[in-house]
Amino acid sequence: MKTAAFPVLETERLLLRKVTPEDAASMLTYLSDQNVMQHMGLEPFQSISDALDEIAWYESIVKEGTGIRWGITLKEDGQVIGSCGFLNYVSKHHRIEIGTELSRDYWHQGIASEALQAVIHYGFNNLEIQRLEALIEPANYASQKLFERQGFMKEGLLRSYEYTCGKFDDLYMYSLLKHEVSLKE
C-alpha cells in the first residue's frame, strides 16, 4: 500500500492532510478528552509527547505500507480537529481497517461523515482494496450509526478481541465491500 506522495483529500468543508509535529498541540486538545477516547482502547493523552508519539505512529504506518492516517482540518483554519484513515492492510486479501476520531467540539455537524466518505472513496479508487473493516465497541453507538450511514454492514461480535486499558474488549466487526459503494467523485 505504498503511495508516492502523501495524498491530500478535499471535500466541501474539509482538507484531509498529513499531520506534522506542529499539529501536536491541537491533537492533544481532543486526544486528552475522555469523551473522545472512551471507545478507542487508549487512555486520554497527558502531554505533547503523547501527541508526538501518535504522529510518529502515523508516519510509521505509511512508511511500512500498512496504513495511512489523515488529519481532519476545516478549510478556513487548517487546525487538526480529528483524524481518519486506514491501518492493518492485508495486501494478500485486499482488505484494510478504517477508523476515525473527532474533537467533541465538532460532533453532530456531519464532519466525521464527510471525512469518512472521502477516505472510503480514496481507498476504493486508489488502493487495491476490496474490503474495508471497522472494529467498533458495542457501547459506541455513535460510531456504529456513522459507519452504518456509510453503508457498512455489522457482521458480528468479536468476543474479547482486544486487550486494552487493562481489560478485554468485545468489538463489532463492520465491513463495506467495493461493489457496494458508488465510487463517482
Side-chain angles (χ1 to χ4, degrees):
M1 197 198 91
K2 297 284 183 188
T3 56
F6 196 96
V8 174
L9 308 180
E10 187 173 346
T11 70
E12 183 180 333
R13 298 179 292 169
L14 308 174
L15 199 61
L16 281 69
R17 62 167 175 81
K18 182 177 183 174
V19 175
T20 67
E22 291 75 28
D23 297 310
S26 60
M27 289 176 64
L28 180 60
T29 300
Y30 64 87
L31 293 173
S32 63
D33 183 335
Q34 176 63 40
N35 291 300
V36 172
M37 301 299 282
Q38 69 180 337
H39 300 297
M40 290 181 57
L42 297 169
E43 295 292 341
F45 287 19
Q46 301 295 315
S47 67
I48 289 289
S49 178
D50 291 340
L52 289 169
D53 288 347
E54 184 78 354
I55 294 167
W57 178 71
Y58 292 177
E59 291 173 1
S60 74
I61 63 173
V62 170
K63 188 176 185 179
E64 295 163 3
T66 60
I68 185 169
R69 196 84 177 182
W70 286 269
I72 301 170
T73 69
L74 297 173
K75 284 182 179 177
E76 64 264 16
D77 76 4
Q79 181 175 331
V80 175
I81 60 170
S83 78
C84 188
F86 301 121
L87 65 153
N88 297 328
Y89 177 54
V90 182
S91 62
K92 177 181 178 181
H93 301 296
H94 302 273
R95 73 172 179 248
I96 199 164
E97 291 176 29
I98 187 169
T100 188
E101 82 278 332
L102 187 65
S103 171
R104 188 167 30 138
D105 294 341
Y106 298 93
W107 289 359
H108 309 294
Q109 298 175 35
I111 291 171
S113 186
E114 192 172 323
L116 190 59
Q117 187 170 40
V119 170
I120 289 167
H121 281 253
Y122 179 84
F124 284 141
N125 285 324
N126 300 96
L127 306 175
E128 293 183 18
I129 301 296
Q130 166 63 20
R131 174 185 167 92
L132 295 178
E133 298 177 342
L135 298 169
I136 304 172
E137 288 186 6
N140 191 348
Y141 303 114
S143 284
Q144 291 176 50
K145 295 299 177 206
L146 171 66
F147 280 87
E148 288 168 1
R149 282 192 305 273
Q150 295 297 327
F152 280 73
M153 177 187 297
K154 185 191 298 183
E155 295 183 334
L157 182 68
L158 303 172
R159 299 177 307 141
S160 292
Y161 191 73
E162 288 184 341
Y163 185 78
T164 59
C165 301
K167 64 182 178 27
F168 288 97
D169 292 322
D170 295 341
L171 295 172
Y172 281 128
M173 171 65 78
Y174 279 80
S175 71
L176 182 66
L177 305 180
K178 186 173 185 174
H179 74 270
E180 296 171 335
V181 150
S182 170
L183 297 175
K184 297 181 185 98
E185 296 296 325

